[in-house]
Amino acid sequence: MILGIGNDLCDVRRIERTLERFGERFLQRVFTDVERKRAFAKGAPAATLAKRFAAKEACAKALGTGFRNGTFWRDMGVVNLPSGRPTLALTGGAREHLERLTPPGYEARIDLTLTDEEPLAAAVVVISASPKA
C-alpha cells in the first residue's frame, strides 16, 4: 500500500549561490555527514547537494509533514543500499512520523529516484508499506 508520494525540483544554481553565501552553516543545517562527504568527494558538490535537497523536500511531502511538527532537514538523509539503490534513512521527527503512518503489522519502505539535467535536479519519493514477513 502506498503511504505517501512526493516530488521536488531544485535549481543547482540556487544551491551554488547558497553555498557561496552561507557555506558551512548551510551544509550543517541541511545535510548529514554522509551526504556532505559524498558531495565533496566528487568534482561538483552543488549538483550532488541539489539532488539531495530535492530528495528531502520530496520526502517531507510524502510524509505529509513539510519541515514542521518536529521534522527537520537532517532527519532525512540520502543513503545508498549495498546494491547502489538510493533511499532515505530517517531519524528524529521524520522517523517518528513514518512510524505513525505505518499500519500495525506492516513494514515501511522508501523508494527514491534522483536525476539531474543542468541546471535542474529532481527527486521522487514513494513511501509504501507491506505486511511484515
Side-chain angles (χ1 to χ4, degrees), residues 59-60 62-77 89-102 110 127:
C59 185
L63 288 170
T65 62
F67 292 100
R68 63 184 195 292
N69 298 328
T71 300
F72 301 100
W73 288 100
R74 291 185 46 164
D75 288 348
M76 298 169 248
L90 304 186
T91 60
R95 181 78 192 162
E96 291 169 12
H97 192 73
L98 178 63
E99 289 170 359
R100 284 192 300 273
L101 279 177
T102 307
I110 301 175
I127 301 174

Side-chain angles (χ1 to χ4, degrees), residues 63-126:
L63 288 170
T65 62
F67 292 100
R68 63 184 195 292
N69 298 328
T71 300
F72 301 100
W73 288 100
R74 291 185 46 164
D75 288 348
M76 298 169 248
V78 176
V79 296
N80 293 87
L81 298 176
S83 66
R85 180 175 73 85
T87 188
L88 284 140
L90 304 186
T91 60
R95 181 78 192 162
E96 291 169 12
H97 192 73
L98 178 63
E99 289 170 359
R100 284 192 300 273
L101 279 177
T102 307
Y106 282 73
E107 187 171 57
R109 174 182 164 138
I110 301 175
D111 288 295
L112 167 65
T113 184
L114 302 167
T115 191
D116 61 340
E117 181 66 38
E118 289 287 339
L120 300 174
V124 175
V125 170
V126 176

Side-chain angles (χ1 to χ4, degrees), residues 11-28 31 40 44-47 49:
D11 191 322
V12 175
R13 297 167 297 191
R14 177 177 167 226
I15 298 300
E16 287 172 339
R17 288 190 304 269
T18 304
L19 275 172
E20 288 171 10
R21 184 168 181 199
F22 298 105
E24 193 62 29
R25 192 169 113 203
F26 169 64
L27 292 170
Q28 289 286 331
F31 301 100
F40 286 93
L49 293 170

